[in-house]
Amino acid sequence: MAIISRARIWATVRRIPSGNVATYGQVATVAGFDGHARQVGYALAALPADSGVPWHRVVNSFGEISQRRGGDSHELQRILLEQEGVEFGANGKIDLSRYRWKVRHPARRERPSD
DNA sequence: AAACTGACTAATA
DNA sequence: CTATTAGCCAGTT
């Protein structure tokens, strides 16, 4: 069991292409921490503002933007995604079947349904 | 060293 | 649909 380092998670998030999104669980899987979606959220919460990591491309498993406890960066997240061409439905959700990041070499898919 | 903190997900009722 | 339960771990105070 490898130690889940925030740096490793950030490096994975950096690989998400513009115009795509990944779920927390997907980032965890690709980073080699399958089943540790929550730690991904924790890692992003600790991200420095000037890191250059495209944190806004990470959404929850429903294709929705997760709310922060304090702060208002979730509003910025939607704006940034829309600027990259990601469309939101009337319910505020992203169509994951359309925008979800397709990993070249997945350790294992988060959801086997595709 | 112990307590506290925090962007999740799946299963169940 | 909402609510609850359970698993999850590093960094900071």
Side-chain angles (χ1 to χ4, degrees), chain A residues 6 9 13 28 33 36-37 39 42 47-48 50 58 62 64 66 78-79 88 90 94 98:
Chain A
R6 293 180 167 179
I9 291 171
V13 173
F33 307 130
H36 296 259
Q39 321 316 319
Y42 295 161
L47 199 58
D50 56 349
V58 184
F62 297 109
E64 286 184 314
S66 291
R78 174 162 180 160
I79 292 171
F88 287 75
I94 296 168
R98 178 167 150 153

Side-chain angles (χ1 to χ4, degrees), chain A residues 16-113:
Chain A
I16 306 173
S18 175
N20 284 299
V21 298
T23 65
Y24 294 92
Q26 183 183 8
V27 171
T29 298
V30 174
F33 307 130
D34 195 22
H36 296 259
R38 200 168 189 181
Q39 321 316 319
V40 173
Y42 295 161
L44 292 183
L47 199 58
D50 56 349
S51 61
V53 174
W55 52 267
H56 55 278
R57 299 184 187 138
V58 184
V59 298
N60 66 27
S61 64
F62 297 109
E64 286 184 314
I65 293 173
S66 291
Q67 302 269 317
R68 279 84 173 144
R69 196 158 183 261
D72 47 355
S73 49
H74 61 280
E75 296 180 3
L76 174 63
Q77 181 169 5
R78 174 162 180 160
I79 292 171
L80 290 172
L81 286 174
E82 287 178 331
Q83 286 179 348
E84 292 184 350
V86 176
E87 297 173 17
F88 287 75
N91 51 9
K93 291 186 181 181
I94 296 168
D95 183 355
L96 290 179
S97 67
R98 178 167 150 153
Y99 294 106
R100 191 168 150 282
W101 177 32
K102 311 295 196 236
V103 187
R104 283 177 177 277
H105 304 295
R108 187 207 221 158
R109 273 205 274 275
E110 181 195 7
R111 319 190 78 106
S113 46

